[in-house]
Amino acid sequence: MKNHKTIVLSNQEVSPGYFRMRILAPDYTRLARPGQFVMFRVQRALLPLLRRPFGIFRAGFMPADCDTMPPKEFIEIIYKVVGSGTEIMQGLHYGDPVELLGPLGSGFDLNLTSGDSILVGGGIGLVPLYMLAESIAEPSRAEVLIGGRCRDDIITVTEFERLGVRTFVSTEDGSLGDRGLVTKVLEQRMEQKPQAKVFACGPMPMIRAVEKICRDKGVHLQVSMEELMACGVGACLGCVVKGEGHTTEKPSYLCTCTVGPVFNASDLAWDDHQSASDVAGGDGCECGAKP
Amino acid sequence: MKRREKVEKTVNLQVDIAGITLKNPIMPASGTFGYGEEYAPYLDLNSLGAIVTKGLSLNPKAGNNTPRVCETVGGMLNAIGLQNVGVEQFIHHKMPFLKQFDTPVIVNFFGNTQEEYGEVAARLDELPGVAGLEMNISCPNVKHGGIVFGTDPKAAFATVAAVRKKTSKPLIVKLTPNVTDIQVTARAVEDAGADAISLINTLTGMAVDVKTRQPRLANTIGGLSGPAIRPIAVRLVHQVVQVVKVPVIGIGGISRAMDALEFLIVGATAVQVGTANFVDPNAMATIIAELKTFCLEEGIADINDLIGSLKV
């Protein structure tokens, strides 16, 4: 955990409205675990004031500018342009100064990936699942279900395929892959792989549906949650979610930034779960990016 | 050629608040720094003037529903709901960590009733390692229709007086700005026995999502903090220092040394940094370094010479 004053290495639109940013990030290949996030600061200015959380898509090395230098370490984040912060982000270029605080939060439990695994990503929610897929010892036993509203929301499919995991694409309007919700695909795949553990990240309605499916079938589920967040280090207590057994009389709140963002679904309360994206009428999939 | 003598110039940043000696006038604002441990990976806690904890209550408090925070222009709204571990957990699980540092620990606390304030103060009074108490009077009095203690000068006086009886430790009272005349409240808490006054707590505010037509906070109303509120805070500190004799700690939108200096010049003896910690976990270290540079450049040998040096 460190705050790096660093630079953008590249920033490209990978699908309409979706950008992929590579940032110089020393130590991240060693430190970052699947499911972790960074608090990203666009610029030293008042707008936006607060940092924004972004799931780490991947960490890697790239050749240095000259042979005598060690390779450069980077991370990639993928974001959807949804508000003033991400609008500024899309205008960044190579060399622009940014700050990274991280890697932060809990990650996915890799012990759970020893058998069959099903990864479910809705829109930008796919982002934190890539490092998880990379870490699975037997990629052939893992499947990735990628859902979105339309084909623009479907990103990085070939990169998942290159890892050797099987991918299933679905869109609500049928413009790419199967027509329908990703949760429908999940039900089908769970019938084929009843022993599989499920890992999910995406918009709250999707997460809630996945949770119900898994609970009904008694399948272990890990979810990556997102909440509005000010500090990312457990100080502001702004990003809490309701823990298992939460009631109005006996409330239980868990910090998304330190206890999460990845939770065992059984550790959270689901009956009355309300999240920021519900209340704010969230723009669908925001798991990796916030306005 | 004249030989230039190398003179190591030093600046005294040390200030004194009600008998608490601070290495420098920079400390975190309660609620923006957890219990210290959250920021220890990013910042040397020994470098701070003091550590101010998250507000404690007699019993643990779970806090409000979400969303609890939202950003506004140059600031943020929060309605965390004073979530905290409670005084006993603090004593056993948080205080041992804080004791390791060579930095005074100021424990912020609050109550739902006057009695609760007194009980928490009494418990903290006997706790070794606590340099001082900061009393948050911006909470609603559950026994009296939820009227905020700090907005009613009589209630503020009575509550501070009750706490005063329970502790001999330096008592700082943190004022809410949501009053008509801050000078009345400031005088009331000074008369009741406060050793120092800190201000401002957040300004109440509200933001609406125009698409859903819902408030952006689950609690509807929240507290506004951040750079947006600084001019209001400077004005209120200016008004308070004119009517009280006790030292004043300035709070509100400080994110750089220049901001802190405004408060010091107006008459604050020290300042608290809040929202800026969220933006940059190293913010206070930067402010301390900048403060030193400013004094060197301006030829100020002692920061105390700046305090209250406003030229009107």
Side-chain angles (χ1 to χ4, degrees):
Chain A
M1 296 186 291
K2 206 183 160 198
N3 183 39
H4 284 290
K5 288 182 177 162
T6 182
I7 56 162
V8 172
L9 294 171
S10 65
N11 188 26
Q12 287 173 319
E13 190 163 19
V14 290
S15 179
Y18 289 87
F19 284 75
R20 177 169 180 157
M21 187 186 285
R22 184 177 283 199
I23 307 153
L24 189 67
D27 300 332
Y28 271 71
T29 52
R30 188 169 49 87
L31 297 177
R33 286 177 283 120
Q36 287 195 297
F37 69 101
V38 292
M39 288 299 276
F40 179 84
R41 190 176 184 192
V42 184
Q43 53 186 13
R44 301 184 70 83
L46 294 184
L47 207 107
L49 177 71
L50 300 170
R51 289 170 189 246
R52 296 290 186 272
F54 289 95
I56 300 170
F57 177 69
R58 74 185 186 107
F61 289 99
M62 63 189 284
D65 300 328
C66 68
D67 294 345
T68 54
M69 301 281 280
K72 286 192 267 194
E73 270 183 85
F74 66 82
I75 59 161
E76 286 179 353
I77 59 174
I78 299 177
Y79 59 95
K80 186 179 178 184
V81 179
V82 285
S84 58
T86 42
E87 263 166 36
I88 296 169
M89 282 174 74
Q90 67 169 318
L92 296 181
H93 297 95
Y94 172 82
D96 285 339
V98 293
E99 287 183 37
L100 282 186
L101 180 64
L104 299 168
S106 66
F108 289 103
D109 183 354
L110 296 179
N111 293 325
L112 296 171
T113 62
S114 55
D116 291 336
S117 309
I118 301 176
L119 282 54
V120 190
I124 204 83
L126 190 65
V127 170
L129 299 178
Y130 184 78
M131 271 182 87
L132 176 63
E134 265 186 326
S135 310
I136 291 175
E138 288 181 85
S140 58
R141 297 189 68 179
E143 297 183 348
V144 185
L145 318 186
I146 302 169
R149 284 192 183 141
C150 68
R151 62 184 173 197
D152 291 354
D153 301 324
I154 306 301
I155 47 173
T156 70
V157 179
T158 50
E159 273 163 276
F160 276 93
E161 284 173 348
R162 240 175 266 144
L163 297 174
V165 298
R166 209 171 154 195
T167 59
F168 294 84
V169 172
S170 58
T171 51
E172 286 174 46
D173 67 356
S175 54
L176 195 67
D178 289 348
R179 178 194 288 268
L181 294 170
V182 70
T183 44
K184 195 179 81 187
V185 184
L186 174 65
E187 285 179 306
Q188 291 163 0
R189 296 313 305 160
M190 281 170 79
E191 273 172 34
Q192 301 295 313
K193 297 205 163 192
Q195 302 299 318
K197 309 276 197 300
V198 177
F199 305 84
C201 184
M204 212 44 219
M206 181 204 100
I207 292 286
R208 211 182 277 112
V210 170
E211 192 277 332
K212 192 171 183 314
I213 293 166
C214 290
R215 188 179 5 161
D216 289 348
K217 291 200 159 67
V219 167
H220 193 106
L221 167 68
Q222 285 209 313
V223 289
S224 177
M225 304 291 283
E226 202 207 29
E227 278 291 333
L228 294 166
M229 198 177 277
C231 72
V233 299
C236 75
L237 307 177
C239 66
V240 295
V241 288
K242 289 170 185 162
E244 194 269 327
H246 172 97
T247 58
T248 318
E249 297 74 35
K250 214 170 173 294
S252 157
Y253 289 110
L254 308 170
C255 265
T256 304
C257 65
T258 50
V259 185
V262 178
F263 294 92
N264 285 317
S266 54
D267 293 337
L268 299 179
W270 293 99
D271 297 338
D272 168 45
H273 194 93
Q274 194 185 39
S275 82
S277 46
D278 287 1
V279 174
D283 189 27
C285 359
E286 291 184 292
C287 214
K290 267 286 174 188
Chain B
M1 211 166 84
K2 255 188 181 173
R3 193 173 145 260
R4 206 178 255 173
E5 267 189 46
K6 203 182 167 191
V7 184
E8 189 64 36
K9 283 193 179 170
T10 55
V11 182
N12 175 46
L13 292 181
Q14 188 176 306
V15 296
D16 186 279
I17 296 270
I20 311 170
T21 303
L22 314 179
K23 271 173 251 168
N24 59 64
I26 308 298
M27 63 184 106
S30 175
T32 66
F33 205 62
Y35 304 99
E37 59 195 8
E38 291 83 349
Y39 279 96
Y42 310 101
L43 181 74
D44 178 10
L45 301 190
N46 285 314
S47 69
L48 303 176
I51 296 166
V52 184
T53 70
K54 173 89 184 146
L56 299 174
S57 47
L58 192 59
N59 300 309
K61 209 164 182 288
N64 290 332
N65 205 343
T66 58
R68 291 176 167 189
V69 291
C70 78
E71 181 164 336
T72 57
V73 178
M76 66 177 276
L77 280 169
N78 88 78
I80 305 299
L82 293 165
Q83 179 177 339
N84 78 93
V85 298
V87 71
E88 291 307 319
Q89 280 253 23
F90 171 79
I91 291 168
H92 295 110
H93 299 291
K94 307 292 180 187
M95 196 59 207
F97 173 82
L98 289 170
K99 270 203 227 165
Q100 305 171 68
F101 301 96
D102 173 35
T103 302
V105 175
I106 295 172
V107 180
N108 183 290
F109 73 100
F110 66 94
N112 295 314
T113 62
Q114 197 171 301
E115 296 73 31
E116 255 185 57
Y117 270 101
E119 275 186 70
V120 184
R123 191 73 184 90
L124 292 169
D125 183 63
E126 61 199 33
L127 187 63
V130 173
L133 305 182
E134 183 181 56
M135 179 176 169
N136 173 6
I137 57 169
S138 306
C139 326
N141 183 344
V142 294
K143 275 199 184 162
H144 290 93
I147 293 170
V148 175
F149 290 97
T151 57
D152 173 5
K154 277 185 193 140
F157 178 91
T159 315
V160 174
V163 166
R164 180 74 283 174
K165 286 193 196 117
K166 303 282 186 182
T167 180
S168 53
K169 288 207 160 122
L171 178 64
I172 304 160
V173 178
K174 182 169 179 177
L175 301 186
T176 167
N178 304 306
V179 295
T180 313
D181 188 346
I182 196 86
Q183 293 180 325
V184 175
T185 329
R187 274 193 297 248
V189 304
E190 184 184 43
D191 291 346
D195 298 310
I197 290 172
S198 57
L199 76 159
I200 60 175
N201 207 326
T202 54
L203 287 149
T204 46
M206 180 172 167
V208 177
D209 183 309
V210 295
K211 281 191 184 159
T212 63
R213 303 186 194 178
Q214 287 176 312
R216 283 171 65 189
L217 295 177
N219 193 53
T220 306
I221 289 172
L224 182 65
S225 63
I229 71 166
R230 197 179 72 244
I232 302 171
V234 173
R235 184 264 295 178
L236 287 162
V237 168
H238 171 66
Q239 290 179 318
V240 167
V241 294
Q242 290 173 13
V243 297
V244 298
K245 292 189 184 69
V246 295
V248 169
I249 302 170
I251 321 164
I254 297 172
S255 45
R256 304 174 52 202
M258 293 300 161
D259 307 338
L261 284 160
E262 281 194 65
F263 285 91
L264 296 176
I265 290 167
V266 157
T269 306
V271 296
Q272 294 180 357
V273 176
T275 305
N277 294 318
F278 299 153
V279 180
D280 180 359
N282 207 38
M284 288 189 288
T286 311
I287 293 172
I288 294 163
E290 284 177 355
L291 212 52
K292 204 167 181 180
T293 309
F294 176 86
C295 290
L296 282 172
E297 284 174 0
E298 297 292 312
I300 297 155
D302 186 343
I303 194 110
N304 289 282
D305 295 342
L306 265 178
I307 295 167
S309 62
L310 182 73
K311 295 172 184 168
V312 205

